[in-house]
Amino acid sequence: MKTFLQLIGIGIVSGAVLAMIMQIIYSLTGNEAYILLYNVEYFPIIHVFKDSYLFGIAFHFVFCIASVVGLYSILSFWGKQYSSWPYVTVYTAGSGILYFLTLFTDRPPAANDGMAWFYWTASHLVFSLTVAWMIRRFIKLNSV
């Protein structure tokens, strides 16, 4: 139970880091890649909340938590939960691919906006490094 709660905390903190980075990028460049972080209009059922900013934020954090808990659990099966590379690979490559969900919406960013894709993917690289570092620092340290 302690590890599960720690993973939830890691998902929240890492999700906040990701959101802050995306907001800073928007503030500095005007690039609207951050909009994709909160956009739910391409999901069945929950798309009815597409105009709710608070729902988008909640969805972002739920997804961050679920991805941290899920990937840690999968990696634990192979004893790789403390290795950084799986987190970096899955989250960075996965987000680079998920960026193209923007094809299913009229909201920015455009699917062919190379800088938005770069900012999106680079921000998720930082998210993945944050997750991996926190897992090694707070979970592995406590389990040794």
Side-chain angles (χ1 to χ4, degrees):
M1 184 62 158
K2 179 181 177 185
T3 299
F4 180 70
L5 293 175
Q6 288 174 312
L7 291 170
I8 289 172
I10 289 168
I12 292 169
V13 170
S14 299
V17 168
L18 174 59
M20 276 192 309
I21 290 170
M22 297 295 292
Q23 189 62 46
I24 290 168
I25 289 170
Y26 173 70
S27 296
L28 294 175
T29 68
N31 190 288
E32 297 176 309
Y34 80 95
I35 292 172
L36 187 56
L37 207 56
Y38 309 115
N39 190 350
V40 298
E41 70 181 50
Y42 40 79
F43 288 104
I45 301 168
I46 65 170
H47 73 280
V48 298
F49 299 107
K50 68 182 179 183
D51 295 324
S52 171
Y53 184 71
L54 289 177
F55 185 84
I57 291 171
F59 176 79
H60 163 69
F61 281 103
V62 167
F63 198 82
C64 289
I65 292 166
S67 69
V68 169
V69 171
L71 187 53
Y72 178 89
S73 299
I74 291 167
L75 295 174
S76 293
F77 183 74
W78 289 292
K80 300 290 184 191
Q81 70 272 28
Y82 302 119
S83 176
S84 297
W85 288 108
Y87 297 99
V88 170
T89 302
V90 170
Y91 293 139
T92 307
S95 71
I97 293 166
L98 287 176
Y99 172 83
F100 295 101
L101 286 172
T102 197
L103 286 166
F104 301 111
T105 179
D106 293 330
R107 293 185 184 183
N112 64 353
D113 184 342
M115 287 309 297
W117 179 87
F118 173 77
Y119 293 139
W120 173 263
T121 306
S123 296
H124 281 79
L125 170 63
V126 174
F127 170 81
S128 68
L129 292 170
T130 304
V131 169
W133 176 79
M134 291 182 77
I135 285 173
R136 284 192 324 273
R137 172 68 175 89
F138 296 109
I139 297 177
K140 185 177 184 181
L141 184 66
N142 290 333
S143 67
V144 177

